[in-house]
Amino acid sequence: MLRHNILLLAVVGILLLAGADAAKDKDKKKGDRELLEKFSVGDELWSAHRDGRNARVYYYNARTGLSQWEDPRKDPAADRAMAFGLMMLPFGFMLLAGATYIIYMKVYHPEKLKLLIKGPPKKKGRAVDAYLKESKEKLRSKDGRARSSSPTPPPADVSAAKAELRCI
């Protein structure tokens, strides 16, 4: 008798679980048409619904009876404008950097800026040599020595410098 009661309880439990699953499936089918909102675009009446299977929102046109995934309120021209703006952003930064460089050159190196803009003079022969000599003179410091890119001038006698290094 105890076996029959246990078996009967097991069958009742299985039936109850099967009934609960059937109720959940019925609720899911109701979820397929869950209404989120109603709105109009122009003279068209639309409604937004949540799809129960993959939880995506779809849009239903009441007049035509058609549904779509894309929101009809969204303006595709605005999306194109945003994409164009993002595409042009690096070029804007390049223009800004170029303008900054020109301002820097105008403030700190105006003679070099003139050369960049106009280019070297179009002269031939001795005139070019005179221009190069004049440019070298401009680059010399006030005391007459040529400018050096290193902070200390090179030693006059290389052999003396080598001898100093051997002593150290």
Side-chain angles (χ1 to χ4, degrees):
M1 180 97 169
L2 185 60
R3 282 187 177 177
H4 290 290
N5 287 341
I6 292 175
L7 186 59
L8 184 62
L9 282 174
V11 170
V12 170
I14 290 173
L15 289 176
L16 285 175
L17 288 175
D21 287 342
K24 283 182 186 176
D25 289 342
K26 194 174 186 180
D27 288 342
K28 266 192 179 177
K29 286 181 183 176
K30 283 183 185 176
D32 283 347
R33 296 205 173 108
E34 178 187 351
L35 177 65
L36 298 176
E37 65 175 314
K38 289 185 178 184
F39 56 92
S40 64
V41 176
D43 60 342
E44 302 282 326
L45 236 119
W46 290 85
S47 57
H49 301 270
R50 184 169 310 280
D51 183 24
R53 291 186 206 118
N54 54 13
R56 285 181 61 190
V57 176
Y58 67 93
Y59 301 92
Y60 175 76
N61 188 329
R63 189 178 65 81
T64 61
L66 297 176
S67 60
Q68 65 187 34
W69 292 112
E70 296 83 22
D71 191 345
R73 296 172 288 192
K74 209 171 190 186
D75 184 17
D79 288 343
R80 283 194 298 270
M82 176 65 78
F84 181 75
L86 288 174
M87 182 184 73
M88 295 306 291
L89 193 63
F91 297 108
F93 284 129
M94 288 176 14
L95 284 172
L96 181 65
T100 305
Y101 178 73
I102 290 173
I103 291 170
Y104 168 80
M105 290 297 288
K106 188 173 184 177
V107 171
Y108 294 105
H109 304 287
E111 68 281 348
K112 289 183 182 178
L113 181 64
K114 288 177 187 173
L115 282 176
L116 283 174
I117 293 173
K118 294 180 182 178
K122 309 262 189 279
K123 298 177 182 177
K124 294 183 180 179
R126 292 184 185 174
V128 172
D129 293 336
Y131 171 76
L132 290 174
K133 186 177 180 182
E134 180 184 319
S135 298
K136 287 179 185 177
E137 290 296 325
K138 284 182 182 177
L139 292 175
R140 292 193 182 275
S141 62
K142 292 180 182 177
D143 60 357
R145 288 185 296 157
R147 289 186 184 171
S148 173
S149 60
S150 64
T152 59
D157 186 14
V158 178
S159 59
K162 285 182 181 178
E164 269 186 44
L165 288 175
R166 282 188 219 135
C167 293
I168 297 175

